[in-house]
Amino acid sequence: MKSLKLIHFLAAFAFASASAHADKGKSLFDGKSLKGWDGDPKFWSVKDGAIVGQTTKDNPTRGNTFIIWKGGKLKDFDLTLEFKIEGGNSGIQYRSFIKPGKHDGWRVGGYQADFESGDRYSGICYGEAFRGILSDRGFKTTLVQEGGKLQKKAEKFGDSKEIGKAVKKREWNVYRITAKGYHFVHYINGVKTMELIDNDEKARRSEGILAFQVHAGPPMKVSFRNIMLKD
């Protein structure tokens, strides 16, 4: 009888452990290498357990460049990761695409969870090569096509400057992105920064790649770690 109880206990413990692990999602980065990722080695490396993208005065990028997760396409998902930015602008591309035309293969467009070293853009949804700013910080925006033109219907839910105070400069922050259907929500350090409903049937995307950005311009450094995906 005791043996049977022990078996039941161990089975329940294993199930609970597996459930807890599943709740956290799947890790997309092993903390040691760029296995499963593809970016220009001139800019991307692994340092101190993080994916690091960096440009310098002597090693600039001509145009925005990206490191792309090769593990599949994102559809509906819940993505959580930590980021730190030291100078410049960066972003997390999701449901995105490789830009057409001749290039090095690391040029990406699509939905972007933006963040920067400044005070204006962290938390917004930006359309990289994809309709520009889609929803600003502190707004719930619905995109629609009316008369052949894109219309943005925005409802304010919070003050942009107050929301921006949640972002810690030159320190680690937690970014969470959820996508269900064509409803997208961004959070930084647990604070909702924007909400987007994309009813633009002409342009919206139901799936696409995940990628991280190094932005052209002045020297910058961006780091990513603890990348967890639930879908």
Side-chain angles (χ1 to χ4, degrees):
M1 183 65 74
K2 288 183 178 180
S3 297
L4 186 59
K5 288 182 178 180
L6 179 60
I7 290 170
H8 287 164
F9 171 78
L10 292 174
F13 179 79
F15 177 79
S17 298
S19 297
H21 181 75
D23 286 343
K24 292 181 180 180
K26 174 176 66 174
S27 176
L28 305 188
F29 170 51
D30 63 17
K32 299 177 290 186
S33 72
L34 292 179
K35 182 180 180 181
W37 294 83
D38 179 36
D40 191 332
K42 291 193 300 183
F43 306 113
W44 296 98
S45 63
V46 174
K47 297 177 183 177
D48 300 322
I51 295 175
V52 177
Q54 186 170 14
T55 62
T56 64
K57 184 178 179 180
D58 296 327
N59 186 35
T61 176
R62 294 182 178 180
N64 299 341
T65 187
F66 299 79
I67 189 167
I68 302 162
W69 179 58
K70 307 302 288 186
K73 292 184 177 180
L74 302 186
K75 296 180 180 179
D76 285 4
F77 66 88
D78 188 331
L79 176 72
T80 304
L81 57 78
E82 291 179 84
F83 74 90
K84 178 169 62 174
I85 187 163
E86 300 166 74
N89 177 276
S90 182
I92 304 155
Q93 297 290 147
Y94 58 92
R95 288 198 192 172
S96 290
F97 55 89
I98 305 293
K99 287 183 180 179
K102 289 187 177 181
H103 53 72
D104 56 21
W106 299 304
R107 311 295 167 162
V108 173
Y111 300 104
Q112 182 188 110
D114 205 339
F115 62 91
E116 58 162 339
S117 59
D119 300 313
R120 167 68 178 87
Y121 296 107
S122 293
I124 76 166
C125 185
Y126 179 71
E128 177 84 4
F130 185 63
R131 301 174 291 173
I133 293 178
L134 302 179
S135 186
D136 229 325
R137 194 165 64 195
F139 286 87
K140 177 182 179 180
T141 305
T142 302
L143 304 180
V144 294
Q145 282 279 344
E146 292 182 353
K149 294 183 179 181
L150 178 65
Q151 302 293 329
K152 302 176 183 180
K153 300 181 179 181
E155 304 172 36
K156 188 173 182 178
F157 66 78
D159 181 76
S160 178
K161 288 185 178 180
E162 286 300 313
I163 294 171
K165 291 178 180 178
V167 185
K168 296 177 285 187
K169 293 188 176 182
R170 303 180 73 87
E171 296 182 32
W172 288 105
N173 297 269
V174 177
Y175 218 131
R176 182 184 175 207
I177 306 159
T178 64
K180 186 175 182 180
Y182 298 100
H183 184 193
F184 311 100
V185 187
H186 296 174
Y187 306 85
I188 296 179
N189 296 326
V191 176
K192 184 170 80 170
T193 60
M194 81 89 220
E195 193 169 350
L196 173 68
I197 299 172
D198 195 348
N199 289 333
D200 177 7
E201 295 182 5
K202 184 178 179 180
R204 67 186 185 180
R205 296 179 58 81
S206 62
E207 65 177 27
I209 61 174
L210 169 68
F212 301 148
Q213 181 190 62
V214 159
H215 206 286
M220 63 161 292
K221 181 181 178 182
V222 63
S223 305
F224 301 90
R225 70 183 186 187
N226 296 328
I227 306 160
M228 303 298 296
L229 176 67
K230 290 192 287 186
D231 56 17

